[in-house]
Amino acid sequence: MPLKRYGADCALLVVDVQNSFCPGGELAVPGGDEVVPLINHLSLLFENVVLTQDWHPRGHISFASSHPGKQPFQNIDLPYGAQTLWPDHCVAGSHGAAFHAELETERARLIVRKGIHAAVDSYSAFVEADRTTPTGLGGYLNTLGVKKVWLAGLATDFCVAWSAIDARAAGFETFVVEDACRAIDIDGSLADAWMAMRQAGVKRLRSDEV
Ligand code: VGL
Ligand code: ZN
């Protein structure tokens, strides 16, 4: 095993590498499974590995099926703001919500489940879509003395981007490993996400630069 290059003040945040987002899944991200070997390798370099898991109750507000007459990928307005509607995905306890079978999960010290409230989505691993309800991850990382966070996983333009931007907002130096992520990319969402991450001060790098 290679030497752990990143110690107690660093964390690798592995975002939503779950069956629903991999080929064959309900909300498959193109090439979603391709990140698995890279992430397994990256995780060997980190003392602190945290996984996130999109984890929705049945009938979740982000599901198009919860809104009669609406289709997946349409946008609607909710009390907390705009919401893209998705196919049912990552239903708590389902096969889709489970991690990709080849993702190495043994060394993860924390699994954060998000989107757990029926009426609020959460792309971000830190703060739900109402922009107020914390998941607890920021407090956890601060308590451990983590100062720098690297992100990889799915999807670049949704859960990775929101989590990276919120990591910056919580004061962490933040890096996104671009080739260890894959995007959904609807209506220019990937370009918008990179722009927003850049403006937030998120650093973008490749896995061979980690
Ligand atoms: C995600 C859409 C809906 C993601 C989660 O992991 O990027 N995208 N739920
Ligand atoms: Zn979701």
Side-chain angles (χ1 to χ4, degrees):
M1 186 155 81
L3 271 186
K4 286 197 180 36
R5 239 180 280 170
Y6 298 100
D9 62 339
C10 301
L12 177 68
L13 186 61
V14 177
V15 178
D16 297 2
V17 183
Q18 295 167 263
N19 292 323
S20 285
F21 299 121
C22 290
E26 303 92 327
L27 179 40
V29 178
D33 55 340
E34 294 166 9
V35 302
V36 171
L38 269 178
I39 290 175
N40 286 345
H41 176 74
L42 283 176
S43 71
L44 297 174
L45 307 177
F46 285 82
E47 206 170 288
N48 294 316
V49 178
V50 173
L51 309 180
T52 74
Q53 210 170 14
D54 209 40
W55 195 260
H56 302 310
R58 270 171 215 292
H60 190 251
I61 198 154
S62 75
F63 296 170
S65 63
S66 304
H67 304 272
K70 298 292 180 190
Q71 296 302 318
F73 309 108
Q74 287 184 328
N75 290 298
I76 60 165
D77 287 314
L78 290 176
Y80 58 76
Q83 172 72 50
T84 301
L85 296 177
W86 305 105
D88 290 22
H89 65 279
C90 296
V91 172
S94 69
H95 173 76
F99 292 115
H100 184 286
E102 261 109 64
L103 182 73
E104 280 178 28
T105 60
E106 293 84 358
R107 295 184 45 263
R109 63 184 297 173
L110 179 74
I111 297 173
V112 182
R113 289 174 170 167
K114 59 183 184 58
I116 59 166
H117 294 122
V120 188
D121 202 3
S122 191
Y123 297 145
S124 167
F126 291 89
V127 185
E128 296 187 12
D130 60 8
R131 303 281 78 208
T132 342
T133 309
T135 64
L137 178 58
Y140 175 86
L141 294 175
N142 280 322
T143 302
L144 291 184
V146 169
K147 307 285 183 218
K148 303 178 193 179
V149 176
W150 281 255
L151 294 98
L154 308 172
T156 324
D157 40 348
F158 289 92
C159 291
V160 173
W162 282 59
S163 298
I165 290 165
D166 282 355
R168 283 292 304 138
F172 300 105
E173 192 175 353
T174 306
F175 306 85
V176 171
V177 188
E178 60 177 341
D179 53 324
C181 300
R182 291 292 183 279
I184 297 175
D185 202 11
I186 35 173
D187 298 331
S189 57
L190 181 58
D192 292 349
W194 280 122
M195 180 80 79
M197 286 191 273
R198 205 174 117 122
Q199 278 165 2
V202 173
K203 293 172 185 131
R204 174 178 178 172
L205 77 181
R206 293 187 319 270
S207 54
D208 61 3
E209 300 171 302
V210 174

